């Protein structure tokens, strides 16, 4: 569980440090920055990062819920027995 939280934290921190833009967005940002309106550029970057992070967060939540329900109600011995049976089939 600690590894999952570490990876999640690392992905969130690295996402906030990156500034990804498409070619059209970049041209808009360059034209607004040259006119002295840098607030539009930072808002556009944050919007892009928000749109980028939502699908990954959704996939992580679905994966976690799937993992939790697949192991629900089984003891560690039962889980290990199932994995060994699947490995030796």
């Amino acid at each position: 569980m600690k590894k999952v939280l570490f990876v999640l934290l690392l992905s969130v921190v690295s996402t906030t440090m990156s500034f990804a833009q498409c070619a059209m967005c970049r041209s808009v940002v360059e034209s607004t920055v040259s006119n002295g309106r840098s607030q539009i550029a930072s808002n556009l970057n944050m919007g892009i990062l928000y749109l980028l992070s939502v699908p990954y967060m959704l996939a992580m939540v679905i994966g976690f819920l799937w993992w939790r329900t697949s192991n629900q109600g089984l003891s560690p011995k039962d889980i290990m027995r199932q994995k060994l049976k699947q490995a030796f089939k």
Side-chain angles (χ1 to χ4, degrees):
M1 188 66 180
K2 289 181 182 180
K3 289 181 184 179
V4 173
L5 290 175
F6 177 72
V7 170
L8 178 64
L9 180 68
L10 185 63
S11 66
V12 169
V13 170
S14 66
T15 303
T16 58
M17 287 189 265
S18 64
F19 292 102
Q21 294 178 349
C22 65
M24 295 293 289
C25 298
R26 185 180 178 118
S27 64
V28 169
V29 169
E30 286 176 353
S31 68
T32 58
V33 169
S34 65
N35 292 338
R37 298 180 299 182
S38 62
Q39 185 65 27
I40 294 172
S42 65
N43 289 341
L44 184 61
N45 279 333
M46 292 309 291
I48 291 169
L49 293 176
Y50 174 73
L51 290 173
L52 175 74
S53 63
V54 170
Y56 289 107
M57 294 291 194
L58 185 62
M60 283 191 279
V61 167
I62 290 171
F64 174 74
L65 292 174
W66 184 8
W67 172 76
R68 190 179 71 179
T69 57
S70 69
N71 292 333
Q72 192 173 23
L74 297 176
S75 69
K77 286 183 181 180
D78 292 336
I79 294 171
M80 186 58 74
R81 284 183 189 138
Q82 284 182 351
K83 288 183 179 182
L84 287 173
K85 285 180 183 177
Q86 289 175 354
F88 289 112
K89 279 187 181 182

